Amino acid sequence: MTNREAGINVVREMMGDHAAAKLSASADSNTFGAPIAAYAVDQVFADIWTRPGLDRRSRSLVAMSVMIAMRQPHEFAIHMGAGLNNGLTLKEIEEVLIQALPYVGYPAIATALAAAAEVVKERGLDVDKNYTGHRGLL
């Protein structure tokens, strides 16, 4: 199996068929940005996400923490979804936000909370029928 195939398999397992097909097509497109997509598939997903030192749940926790600190809500949402697919629970993801709070501050957590609320809504994971979205800080 090539790095490309291994990387696409990891993306498929963590993010689904649609994300895998989209990233594969982008990496193979020979258009602007294709080398960046290829690097993500071949290096990040094939080489880093498959290393033996951490399981995927742990790698998801690290990735989400980095996205919180960098205030990257779109990437946080992607990695939150992957984390859920990797077996994380909402409670564990909430604990990541709590753990990060004293290090990154409320504004970064509020940004991540808003992104998390969208993932929760899209996946139908909030069991409270009165849930109307982000209930975080304000």
Side-chain angles (χ1 to χ4, degrees):
M1 179 179 298
T2 67
N3 261 20
R4 180 68 45 89
E5 293 166 336
I8 291 300
N9 282 340
V10 170
V11 173
R12 183 175 291 108
E13 291 169 4
M14 291 186 353
M15 300 176 195
D17 290 335
H18 178 71
K22 188 174 177 181
L23 189 54
S24 180
S26 180
D28 294 336
S29 70
N30 292 320
T31 61
F32 183 81
I36 297 166
Y39 182 81
V41 173
D42 299 344
Q43 310 302 310
V44 177
F45 292 106
D47 289 343
I48 295 173
W49 276 88
T50 61
R51 290 178 55 80
L54 293 172
D55 62 13
R56 285 192 190 165
R57 287 172 44 86
S58 299
R59 289 185 190 283
S60 287
L61 293 169
V62 172
M64 285 187 300
S65 297
V66 170
M67 296 311 140
I68 292 166
M70 293 178 63
R71 292 191 191 180
Q72 295 295 316
H74 176 72
E75 290 292 324
F76 175 82
I78 290 170
H79 283 284
M80 180 178 167
L84 289 165
N85 292 344
N86 287 336
L88 293 176
T89 65
L90 284 179
K91 192 66 178 162
E92 289 170 318
I93 293 168
E94 184 177 49
E95 286 299 321
V96 169
L97 292 162
I98 293 167
Q99 181 66 33
L101 179 59
Y103 301 100
V104 300
Y106 282 100
I109 296 304
T111 299
L113 276 173
E118 288 300 314
V119 174
V120 168
K121 181 180 176 182
E122 288 170 6
R123 290 188 175 220
L125 297 175
D126 196 306
V127 295
D128 183 345
K129 293 179 183 180
N130 297 317
Y131 180 68
T132 59
H134 176 44
R135 289 186 266 206
L137 304 173
L138 296 176

